[in-house]
């Protein structure tokens, strides 16, 4: 008989160890999955998780993919701490790209050095505006932000599709559903030649530091932590719940918007019907894997970015379908949530000990 | 009679659009009544859809395909049950994981089936009754899953409010500590509810890939699992209103399809936004009365239960 015994206090050790356990178990599951698909498992794991890192280009691509994940997940992890479940980051990412991209398209013959900063600000504003809707509906009408933010994601993606098929379609684009290519003044500068590594990576690093400071030094960060850990204490302490909801959603929405505009003004360079392989959803996993802490999110973002690049490599080298990436991501989150039991509970083998106080 | 005959095809399509929502929402209603919030409906539906389609196209048997949808939904739900009940994982996070996993897993399984079409499920064909004007096709011309969706809703209402087991399930959802202290097996009851919810979601998915659009496309549920979740809130956890909600959404879906084909001057993408915007609207309408939600929502919805505590 196996039973769980509460530890009484959270185990810091297992809070750090749990992601490692989850990653090891996911690799083990990978062996099973690849074998089941008739691929040599060790070679497949190598192609998936090691080969992309063996070239300089692969390493920079890792950072390119990690950039949006980290930007979004830092915002989400602060909200998740206070039980504000913004799962519509994909939509806020999209609206950020629409707002910022709209500006870049409107000023398509501009050479002003103000265009890029303006575009980025517009992207942030777009993401915040989209996240403000669930914040308002939650604080004013008590509507569940999980469902509203997710529904708005579908709306945002349809809006982008409408724009690139209709009014914003490139007039010289042979009727392809694509916008104009952004002018050079609206494109993120590349950090290294011959790579796609762009300024956004610097933003992501800066956001990690800001988020860390916010969480450990600022009053609002303290409030977010208390609301999540001890809601009753937070109410007693007079924290204004509505303010925290607004803060969490605007922050995560703004960062998702920044990620969105950084992506279209960075590696993509124009608006397309599809601008994200699901970064907004993967960032949810990144936030949990990073222990809802900005520094942890940085590492988790790199790991999840590897699953995207590995998926692409495996598609080319082994003919695996692209969906393997999503499968791996889901499996990893399952293992992580399962391993997290060790943070609050001890596993006991043998008969369960009757706790004192005489429960049956 | 002839002046309303145009209504017949409209009503028929509304029924087909509503059925998957009704199936999945009925399952989730039972899960939430037991005090568990499973946000993975979308994931369970999409896995049910691919399992049913793969089975139908390899065996040619509609019965086996439906069973495969049921079983696949229940199987992925059991992972959710193990994590949230056995390992006391956070239900919101685990539900999201289930959706992410389900979309990836189904895309992998379904990669070889994209682009094939199936014969839709056979329709009930009763010689005389089917030929009745108006009521004939509307009452009698459907496939088995449509009738089952109604039967399941009636069965679930009876179970929840008229049977002893249903009373116990609701007690577990209202207060797991009280139910535990009088000796009811809280975790076992919740696990069974989760399996039922998974099977019904899987069936909703199976209906999509076998009947609504008899084909497989990646992510073909397109948010219907989330709409089903919203419907449960909209219904304030009552079966009768669940039916109303599901048919209202079916009608909105069909309205926008008809408006698109009629070529009114609104872009198709804007029309496609309608079901999602409507979901937000009904959520707001129902949630603004916080007391109503508090009185009707199961008391322990989403809360972790660990018996040793």
């Amino acid at each position: 008989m196996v039973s769980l015994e509460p530890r009484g206090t959270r185990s810091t050790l297992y809070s750090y160890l749990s992601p490692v356990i989850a990653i090891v178990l996911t690799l083990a599951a990978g062996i099973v999955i690849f074998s089941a698909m008739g691929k040599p498992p060790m070679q497949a794991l190598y192609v998936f998780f090691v080969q992309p890192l063996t070239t300089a280009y692969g390493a920079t691509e890792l950072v390119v993919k990690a950039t949006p994940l980290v930007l979004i997940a830092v915002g989400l992890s602060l909200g998740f701490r206070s039980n504000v479940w913004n799962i519509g980051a994909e939509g806020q990412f999209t609206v950020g790209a629409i707002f910022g991209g709209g500006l870049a398209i409107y000023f398509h013959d501009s050479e002003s050095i103000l265009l890029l900063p303006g575009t980025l600000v517009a992207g942030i504003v777009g993401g915040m505006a989209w996240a403000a809707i669930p914040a308002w509906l939650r604080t004013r009408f008590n509507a569940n932000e999980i469902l509203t933010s997710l529904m708005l994601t579908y709306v945002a993606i349809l809006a982008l599709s409408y724009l690139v098929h209709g009014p914003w379609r490139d007039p010289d684009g042979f009727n392809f559903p694509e916008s104009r290519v952004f002018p050079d003044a609206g494109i993120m500068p590349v950090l290294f030649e011959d790579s796609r590594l762009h300024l956004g990576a610097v933003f992501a690093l800066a956001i990690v530091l800001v988020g860390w400071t916010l969480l450990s030094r600022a009053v609002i960060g303290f409030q977010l932590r208390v609301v999540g850990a001890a809601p009753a204490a937070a109410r007693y302490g007079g924290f204004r719940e509505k303010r925290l909801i607004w803060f969490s959603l605007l922050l995560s929405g703004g960062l998702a918007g920044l990620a969105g505009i950084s992506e279209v003004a960075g590696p993509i360079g124009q608006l397309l019907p599809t601008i994200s392989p699901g970064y907004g959803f993967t960032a949810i996993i990144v936030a949990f894997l990073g222990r809802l802490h900005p520094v942890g999110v940085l590492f988790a973002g790199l790991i999840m970015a590897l699953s995207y690049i590995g998926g692409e490599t495996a598609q080319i080298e082994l003919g695996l379908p692209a969906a393997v990436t999503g499968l791996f991501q889901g499996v990893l989150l399952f293992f992580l949530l399962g391993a997290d039991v060790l943070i609050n509970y001890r596993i006991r083998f043998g008969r369960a000990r009757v706790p004192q106080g005489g429960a049956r | 009679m002839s002046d309303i005959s145009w209504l017949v095809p409209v009503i028929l399509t509304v029924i087909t659009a509503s059925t998957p929502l009704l199936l999945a929402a009925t399952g989730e209603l039972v899960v939430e009544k037991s005090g568990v919030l499973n946000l993975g409906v979308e994931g369970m539906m999409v896995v049910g859809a691919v399992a049913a389609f793969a089975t139908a196209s390899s065996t040619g048997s509609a019965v086996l395909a439906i069973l495969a949808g049921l079983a696949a939904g229940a199987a992925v739900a059991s992972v959710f049950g193990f994590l949230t009940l056995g390992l006391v994982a956070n239900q919101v996070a685990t539900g999201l994981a289930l959706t992410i996993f389900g979309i990836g897993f189904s895309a992998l399984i379904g990669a070889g089936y994209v682009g094939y079409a199936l014969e839709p499920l056979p329709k009930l064909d009763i010689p005389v009754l089917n030929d009745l004007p108006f009521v004939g096709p509307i009452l009698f011309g459907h496939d088995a899953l449509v009738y089952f969706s109604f039967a399941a809703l009636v069965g679930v209402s009876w179970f929840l409010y008229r049977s002893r087991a249903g009373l116990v399930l609701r007690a577990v959802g209202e207060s797991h500590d009280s139910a535990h202290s009088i000796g009811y097996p809280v975790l076992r009851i919740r696990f069974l509810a989760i399996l039922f919810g998974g099977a019904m979601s899987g069936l909703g998915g199976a209906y999509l890939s076998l009947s609504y659009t008899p084909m497989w496309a990646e992510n073909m549920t397109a948010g219907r699992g989330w709409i089903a979740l919203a419907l449960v809130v909209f219904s304030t956890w009552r079966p009768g209103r669940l039916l109303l909600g599901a048919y209202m959404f079916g009608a909105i879906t069909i309205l926008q399809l008809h408006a698109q084909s009629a070529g009114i001057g609104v872009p198709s993408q804007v029309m496609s936004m309608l079901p999602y915007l409507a979901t937000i609207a009904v959520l707001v309408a129902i949630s603004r009365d916080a007391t109503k939600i508090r009185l009707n929502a199961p008391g322990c919805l989403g809360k972790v239960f660990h018996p040793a505590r």
Side-chain angles (χ1 to χ4, degrees):
Chain A
M1 177 73 195
V2 184
S3 60
L4 297 177
E5 182 185 285
R7 287 182 193 276
T9 52
R10 286 173 60 85
S11 159
T12 317
L13 171 68
Y14 277 106
S15 148
Y16 293 119
L17 214 52
S18 163
V20 179
I21 297 172
I23 289 169
V24 170
L25 288 174
T26 306
L27 292 179
I31 295 178
V32 177
I33 294 168
F34 289 133
S35 308
M37 297 175 66
K39 308 280 176 194
M42 289 330 237
Q43 190 206 341
L45 281 181
Y46 177 83
V47 169
F48 216 99
F49 294 108
V50 183
Q51 191 172 328
L53 299 177
T54 54
T55 62
Y57 181 77
T60 58
E61 276 298 290
L62 184 74
V63 180
V64 170
K65 294 271 196 297
T67 296
L69 291 175
V70 171
L71 280 172
I72 302 169
V74 167
L76 293 184
S77 56
L78 296 184
F80 288 175
R81 275 178 180 259
S82 57
N83 284 325
V84 177
W85 298 99
N86 174 14
I87 63 165
E90 185 84 0
Q92 294 136 23
F93 178 99
T94 305
V95 175
I98 291 175
F99 271 48
L103 200 69
I105 294 165
Y106 187 76
F107 293 106
H108 59 91
D109 45 11
S110 162
E111 288 171 10
S112 165
I113 52 159
L114 292 176
L115 182 59
L116 183 63
T119 307
L120 292 174
V121 170
I124 296 172
V125 169
M128 288 173 96
W130 210 238
I133 302 172
W136 182 63
L137 297 177
R138 164 84 191 268
T139 51
R140 175 74 179 76
F141 300 106
N142 193 36
N144 182 319
E145 79 280 9
I146 299 177
L147 294 170
T148 52
S149 65
L150 191 92
M151 289 297 133
L152 286 169
T153 296
Y154 290 102
V155 175
I157 292 171
L158 286 166
L160 175 65
S161 166
Y162 163 67
L163 289 170
V164 295
H165 280 95
W168 289 4
R169 187 165 52 193
D170 184 356
D172 312 317
F174 305 103
N175 261 345
F176 281 112
E178 299 174 355
S179 79
R180 286 174 192 275
V181 174
F182 297 173
D184 285 344
I187 291 282
M188 301 276 262
V190 168
L191 298 181
F192 299 111
E193 253 178 67
D194 296 331
S195 79
R196 303 199 302 162
L197 188 58
H198 57 89
L199 191 60
V202 180
F203 294 157
L205 270 181
I207 290 299
V208 166
L209 292 176
V210 171
W212 187 10
T213 315
L214 205 66
L215 198 60
S216 55
R217 297 268 178 272
V219 176
I220 189 102
F222 173 71
Q223 293 190 341
L224 289 172
R225 282 184 290 153
V226 174
V227 166
R235 274 192 296 276
Y236 184 73
F239 297 173
R240 281 185 291 167
E241 198 199 354
K242 289 188 176 180
R243 227 186 76 186
L244 289 176
I245 293 170
W246 274 102
F247 178 80
S248 300
L249 276 161
L250 289 183
L251 179 81
S252 51
L255 287 176
L258 177 61
I261 185 58
S262 299
E263 197 64 15
V264 292
I268 300 179
Q270 66 188 134
L271 290 180
L272 303 173
T274 306
I275 54 170
S276 158
Y279 287 134
F281 298 110
T282 305
I284 296 170
I285 307 177
V286 172
F288 283 114
L289 191 65
R291 313 283 75 187
L292 304 185
H293 189 287
V295 178
V297 160
L298 180 62
F299 292 109
L302 290 167
I303 291 170
M304 295 309 281
L306 184 57
S307 76
Y308 277 119
I309 303 178
E312 286 172 11
T313 321
Q315 238 178 305
I316 299 163
E317 299 248 328
L318 300 169
L320 286 173
V324 176
T325 302
L327 178 67
F328 265 114
Q329 293 180 351
V331 169
L332 177 62
L333 186 51
F334 274 144
F335 281 130
L336 181 73
L337 293 166
D340 274 354
V341 72
L342 295 169
I343 298 172
N344 288 314
Y345 296 88
R346 228 177 248 117
I347 293 179
R348 285 253 168 239
F349 297 95
R351 282 185 66 82
R353 289 199 308 195
V354 176
Q356 282 167 355
R360 288 182 316 114
Chain B
M1 223 48 193
S2 62
D3 48 334
I4 53 163
S5 60
W6 62 273
L7 258 176
V8 172
V10 174
I11 294 176
L12 287 181
T13 46
V14 168
I15 292 172
T16 57
S18 311
T19 301
L21 295 174
L22 184 59
L23 287 167
T26 304
E28 179 67 13
L29 175 69
V30 174
V31 180
E32 294 196 11
K33 275 289 187 187
S34 81
V36 176
L37 180 64
N38 185 354
L39 291 181
V41 178
E42 179 84 1
M44 301 185 294
M45 278 182 90
V46 77
V47 169
V50 77
F53 188 86
T55 310
S57 50
S58 52
T59 67
S61 157
V63 176
L64 282 182
I66 289 170
L67 290 177
L70 278 169
V76 286
S78 72
V79 178
F80 174 88
F82 173 70
L83 287 171
T84 55
L85 302 177
L87 300 181
V88 287
N90 179 308
Q91 292 178 8
V92 173
T94 313
L96 293 175
L98 189 53
T99 292
I100 294 171
F101 170 84
I103 290 172
F105 181 66
S106 61
L108 185 63
I109 302 287
Y113 296 100
V114 176
Y116 293 94
L118 278 180
E119 281 290 298
L121 287 181
K123 305 264 190 278
L124 201 65
D125 189 15
I126 308 170
V128 183
L129 293 177
N130 264 37
D131 300 332
L132 289 175
F134 200 69
V135 291
I138 286 175
L139 286 183
F140 302 106
H142 307 290
D143 55 55
L145 287 182
V146 171
Y147 297 107
F148 180 79
S149 70
F150 281 94
L153 187 76
V154 172
V156 160
S157 322
W158 177 85
F159 168 78
L160 285 176
Y161 296 102
R162 292 278 181 274
S163 80
R164 186 183 160 77
L167 181 66
V168 173
L169 181 129
R170 284 189 292 139
V172 166
E174 288 301 333
S175 170
H176 46 220
D177 289 326
S178 314
H180 175 67
S181 66
I182 36 177
Y184 291 123
V186 172
L187 296 181
R188 193 185 311 157
I189 290 167
R190 286 192 171 162
F191 193 73
L192 290 174
I194 290 169
L195 286 186
F196 177 75
M200 291 294 285
S201 290
L203 197 59
Y207 183 81
L208 284 176
S209 68
L210 295 178
S211 184
Y212 186 65
T213 47
M215 49 168 245
W216 163 255
E218 214 171 282
N219 221 340
M220 72 181 294
T221 42
R224 286 187 180 84
W226 295 100
I227 292 177
L229 276 162
L231 282 177
V232 177
V233 180
F234 167 77
S235 75
T236 56
W237 294 270
R238 278 180 282 195
R241 296 186 54 143
L242 203 61
L243 180 68
L244 179 74
Y247 272 76
M248 202 172 76
F249 271 88
I252 293 170
T253 311
I254 294 309
L255 176 82
Q256 56 103 354
L257 286 181
H258 278 273
Q260 279 183 34
S261 60
I264 64 168
V266 181
S268 68
Q269 290 96 342
V270 175
M271 293 305 294
S272 303
M273 290 175 189
L274 267 183
Y276 307 114
L277 292 173
T279 308
I280 296 174
V282 297
L283 264 181
V284 166
I286 210 79
S287 306
R288 58 190 300 185
D289 188 352
T291 327
K292 196 171 184 178
I293 294 288
R294 204 166 44 241
L295 287 180
N296 287 297
C300 284
L301 185 58
K303 287 187 189 148
V304 159
F305 174 71
H306 186 255
R309 215 170 33 184

